[in-house]
């Protein structure tokens, strides 16, 4: 189906036109035009829900670089459907919200271009079946996230947060790329589906475990899992719609998507089970614990997002156990963990999106999001308060909100761990529900902080920048829709369960799909008071007590492990890298061209001359050489004379002209040897470079005889002479050794293959067009580089940027 | 960079057109004979460089009000675009097509997509060379 491929490219195409629409129609907010795109895509995808639910999948392949195994394959199944709907659905709401959130004075064209870039890239990640294509889109999401975090780039914190997120996620991305390449080395295919199909042969391979770990590093960095979670709180410098969209609803879930997508490949492996579930559960605990100490509402939500992502991650880890067991009563139990993970993934996007938008409204209206300065906003902002209550209570796991359902399922899944008989888990299995429960208590506490410290208590108008009032209706639409979803899903969870989650389960457990019903009915009340319900009750009781006594136990954050700071480690590593690289660079970048040339030639001597020496490549065979004619002797003499003279001339212009003699003589050689193309090129290049030389020459000072120490002179002379000798030796050896068959036969029928009689040009434009294309791009970059270096000198005094 | 040389200027006025014509001729002949986008572009840019050297920059910019950075950018777009274009027609990236067509004036003519590719190369070369030349010589 072509539409899925189109769905990826529509946002990119739209991004191209946004700046011109922005300039052309200044009276209408550009956001309204942008809004059309995600809404259209959402409807497009939604029309396929019933087909996907019936078990259909859509796949389309466009050959991209077939020789390298890279095909542009798009694949729509249950799992990518959920993510596709999240990306376009939350995307629509976020854009609707941004129309009111961002003032018209901001550079809106940039904002929406970045947002569309992200949307396209994210759709690319979830719809791509080819790992290389997926990787390209994966890094593109990091880049667009970087651009969006640094949207207010005049702030120092924004730039810091953007750099941090880019460094951490891209490092993870490269690890993942290495993992993909290892998978390719084992299976010979970049296609995820083909890798899944050949999973049986994989497990014994030596590269299997490294590939597994590297892919996980990529997933963990993107999804902000411990210890890579430190970038997410700093990413909150982005405008709030961006935080709602990228840093809670979609991009950070890309890592979870990768884990889900690769569960069929790696799932049966104990390492996968342990890594995913242990990292997930610890992230859940650590995130919720740290969220409680935050005073900035957005930082609190950031840690809460980290913690919730950990929850989903741990569930996927648990669910992978089902693949180890094969089909049995137990595996039914473990698939329920995955089901809960998918369900909570959807729920989290709804309530966390609403909460972020709510915080954005508060921030915009009163000018602060510090809970110590907020309070008593309930009567002033009743609608915002309602949204906050719905979002927070859902996050805390209370009925009648969707978070309650998935939280119950989470507890139930954790409890099944006690019965796990394989992976030699032993008593560790009992720890999982305990940690999960403790983390949920803290989740409850920070959810209460969001509601009660912001909206109840004493109103402090004098500590706020602006007078509090309700947000404009347009701004409330998007969070209200999400809040409505939170409630609706609670009452009708099985619509989502049957139409979205069941097909997704089938794509995570392709081997089990036919054998059992993977999607249970989601029930709010199981007909009896069971352990999960008791656990929820315990969470509420202990949570209320802890919230009440918050001021007495807050001091624990001052002690022990909370002082160990991963941020300090990151900053230390960064400044160490900067310091040592500038030390190293200053050591050899002396600013003297002659030094650089001697490095280059010395390296050349070592690498090329050295390998010639060690391989014994010298063998001169002059028997096949053509006789040397008189005119060639003359030309060689002229060139040699020009070279030697250049050493002794006094003025630059003479040196340039002598250099020109060399170039034109080479052109003459090409003429002698009947290579008109090369001769022409050489002549014109020589002419143009001489012109450029003259232009530069104008700015250079008088040419003075440079004084240097005798040993330096001898050393430089030695390098120069030996470089010449090595080149000569290579030229002679190449002629003497015919190690490969000539490939010129291939180009001889150029006229039939490429329609041109000039073989040189058919090679340039057709056979090796990829090289030419990249050369042209490099040439252009070099030109722009010269231009920017010369023209755009930093004008410091005009910048409005914090240093 | 101002050189007042009447003879050079007069000769240049004539020679530039010869060079430009030669450049275009090289560009088109490149398919079957020596020439092509790269050489054609270089010859064209050498004509421009000559103009800039003989006259001062302001005069030439008044006569040829073209932003050469954009020329280079459009050239790169052409080169990459022919590659992407091939994908749109179901061929693999950068495949070139050619065929023989009956045209009113020219008779049976060979048309090839590689011309677009080569035009892109030529534009990129001209744009880049002139951009570098201008950046350096304007930097006072």
């Amino acid at each position: 189906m072509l539409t899925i491929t189109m769905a990826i490219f529509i946002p990119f195409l739209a991004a191209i036109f946004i700046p011109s629409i922005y300039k052309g129609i200044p009276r209408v907010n550009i956001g309204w035009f942008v809004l059309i795109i995600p809404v259209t895509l959402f409807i497009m995808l939604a029309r396929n829900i019933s087909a996907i639910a019936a078990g259909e999948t859509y796949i389309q392949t466009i050959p991209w670089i077939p020789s390298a195994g890279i095909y542009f394959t798009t694949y729509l199944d249950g799992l990518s459907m959920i993510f596709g709907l999240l990306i376009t659905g939350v995307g629509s709401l976020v854009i609707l919200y941004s129309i009111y959130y961002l003032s018209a004075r901001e550079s809106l064209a940039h904002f929406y271009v970045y947002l569309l870039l992200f949307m396209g890239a994210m759709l690319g990640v979830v719809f791509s079946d080819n790992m290389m294509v997926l990787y390209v889109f994966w890094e593109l999401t990091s880049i667009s996230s970087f651009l969006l975090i640094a949207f207010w780039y005049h702030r120092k914190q924004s730039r810091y947060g953007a750099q941090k997120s880019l460094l951490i996620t891209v490092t993870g991305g490269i690890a993942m790329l290495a993992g993909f390449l290892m998978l390719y080395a084992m299976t010979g295919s970049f296609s995820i589906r083909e890798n899944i199909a050949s999973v049986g042969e994989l497990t014994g391979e030596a590269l299997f475990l490294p590939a597994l770990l590297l892919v996980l590093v990529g997933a963990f960095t993107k999804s902000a899992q411990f210890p890579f979670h430190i970038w997410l709180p700093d990413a909150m410098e982005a405008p709030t719609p961006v935080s709602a969209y990228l840093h809670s609803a979609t991009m950070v879930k890309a890592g979870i998507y990768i884990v889900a997508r690769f569960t069929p490949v790696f799932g049966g492996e104990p390492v996968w089970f342990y890594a995913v579930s242990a990292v997930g559960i610890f992230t859940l605990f650590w995130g919720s614990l740290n969220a409680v100490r935050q005073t900035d509402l957005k930082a609190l939500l950031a840690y809460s997002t980290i913690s919730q992502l950990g929850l989903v991650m741990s569930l996927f880890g648990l669910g992978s156990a089902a693949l180890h067991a094969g089909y049995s009563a137990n595996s039914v139990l473990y698939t329920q963990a995955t089901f809960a993970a998918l369900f909570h993934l959807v729920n989290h996007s709804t309530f966390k999106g609403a909460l972020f938008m709510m915080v954005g409204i508060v921030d915009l209206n009163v000018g602060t999001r510090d809970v110590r300065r907020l309070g008593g906003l309930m009567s002033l902002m009743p609608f915002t308060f309602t949204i906050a209550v719905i979002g927070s209570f859902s996050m805390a796991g209370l009925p009648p909100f969707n978070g309650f359902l998935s939280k119950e399922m989470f507890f139930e899944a954790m409890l099944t761990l006690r019965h796990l008989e394989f992976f030699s888990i032993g008593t560790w299995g009992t720890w999982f529900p305990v940690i999960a429960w403790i983390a949920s208590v803290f989740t409850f506490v920070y959810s209460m902080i969001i509601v009660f410290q912001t909206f109840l208590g004493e109103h402090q108008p004098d500590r706020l920048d602006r007078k509090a009032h309700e947000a404009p209706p347009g701004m409330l639409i998007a969070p209200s829709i999400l809040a409505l979803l939170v409630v609706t899903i609670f009452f009708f969870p099985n619509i989502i369960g049957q139409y979205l989650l069941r097909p997704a389960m089938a794509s995570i457990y392709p081997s089990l799909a036919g054998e059992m019903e993977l999607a249970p009915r989601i029930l709010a009340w199981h007909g009896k008071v069971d352990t999960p319900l008791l656990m929820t009750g315990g969470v509420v009781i202990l949570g209320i007590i802890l919230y009440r006594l918050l001021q007495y136990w807050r001091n624990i954050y001052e002690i022990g492990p909370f002082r160990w700071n991963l941020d300090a480690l990151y900053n230390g590593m960064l400044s160490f890298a900067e310091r040592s690289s500038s030390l190293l660079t200053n050591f050899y970048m002396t600013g003297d061209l002659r030094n650089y040339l001697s490095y280059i030639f010395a390296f050349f001597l070592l690498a090329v001359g050295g390998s010639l020496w060690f391989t014994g490549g010298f063998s001169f065979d002059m028997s096949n050489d053509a006789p040397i004619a008189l005119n060639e002797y003359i030309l060689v003499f002229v060139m040699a004379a020009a070279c030697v003279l250049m050493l002794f001339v006094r003025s630059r212009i003479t040196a340039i002209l002598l250099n020109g003699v060399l170039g034109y003589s080479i052109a003459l050689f090409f003429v002698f040897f009947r290579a008109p193309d090369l001769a022409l090129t050489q002549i014109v290049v020589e002419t143009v470079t001489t012109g450029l030389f003259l232009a530069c020459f104008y700015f250079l000072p008088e040419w003075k005889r440079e004084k240097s120490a005798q040993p330096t002179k001898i050393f430089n002379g030695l390098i120069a002479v030996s470089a010449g000798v090595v080149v000569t030796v290579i030229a002679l050896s190449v002629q003497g050794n015919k190690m490969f068959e000539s490939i010129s036969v291939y180009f001889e029928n150029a006229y039939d293959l490429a329609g041109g009689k000039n073989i040189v040009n058919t090679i340039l434009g057709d056979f090796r067009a990829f090289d030419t294309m990249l050369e042209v791009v490099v040439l252009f970059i070099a030109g722009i580089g010269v231009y920017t270096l010369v023209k755009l000198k930093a004008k410091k005094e005009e910048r409005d940027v914090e240093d | 960079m101002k050189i007042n040389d009447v003879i050079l200027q007069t000769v240049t006025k004539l020679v530039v057109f010869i060079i430009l014509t030669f450049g275009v001729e090289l560009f088109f002949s490149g398919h079957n004979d020596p020439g092509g986008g790269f050489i054609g572009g270089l010859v064209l840019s050498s004509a421009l460089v000559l103009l800039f050297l003989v006259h001062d920059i302001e005069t030439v910019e008044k006569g040829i009000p073209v932003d050469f950075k954009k020329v280079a950018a459009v050239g790169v777009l052409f080169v990459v675009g022919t590659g992407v274009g091939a994908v749109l027609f179901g061929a693999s990236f950068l495949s070139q097509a050619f065929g023989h067509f009956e045209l009113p004036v020219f008779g049976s003519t060979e048309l090839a997509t590689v011309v677009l590719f080569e035009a892109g190369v030529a534009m990129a070369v001209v744009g880049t060379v002139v951009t570098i030349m201008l950046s350096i010589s304007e930097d006072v």
Side-chain angles (χ1 to χ4, degrees), chain A residues 263-264 266-269 272-273 315-339 416-417 420 422-423 505 508-513 515-516 518:
Chain A
T263 295
F266 297 122
E269 190 70 18
W272 176 270
F273 167 81
L315 281 172
F316 272 118
L318 239 60
S320 73
L323 285 173
H324 183 85
Y327 176 65
S328 69
N330 265 343
S331 51
V332 181
L333 277 179
Y334 300 121
T335 56
Q336 297 322 304
T338 306
F339 186 77
T416 57
L417 251 190
L420 193 68
F422 41 91
F423 294 154
M505 291 294 282
I508 297 175
Y509 296 111
S511 54
L512 305 177
E515 301 185 51
M516 61 171 103
L518 288 167

Side-chain angles (χ1 to χ4, degrees), chain A residues 1 48-59 75-78 503:
Chain A
M1 193 175 61
N48 292 312
I49 288 179
S50 55
I52 295 287
E56 274 186 62
T57 54
Y58 298 100
I59 185 157
Y75 183 55
L76 178 68
D77 64 351

Side-chain angles (χ1 to χ4, degrees), chain A residues 715-795:
Chain A
F715 183 67
N716 286 343
L718 210 63
I719 289 181
V721 171
S722 18
V725 169
V726 168
V727 170
T728 315
V729 166
I730 290 172
L732 291 173
S733 309
V734 166
Q735 193 55 31
N737 295 314
K738 285 263 187 279
M739 298 179 79
F740 304 100
E741 283 295 306
S742 164
I743 57 163
S744 57
V745 188
Y746 178 71
F747 300 112
E748 270 169 12
N749 49 356
Y751 191 69
D752 298 326
L753 291 172
K757 290 188 186 123
N758 180 348
I759 293 181
V760 177
N761 271 343
T762 52
I763 294 173
L764 287 178
D766 204 322
F767 295 118
R768 309 287 305 167
F770 202 69
D771 297 356
T772 315
M773 187 195 87
L774 292 180
E775 278 156 18
V776 167
V777 173
V778 167
L779 183 74
F780 176 63
I781 292 171
I784 292 295
V786 171
Y787 177 79
T788 45
L789 280 177
V790 174
K791 289 276 170 179
L792 308 177
K793 288 170 186 156
K795 295 176 188 123

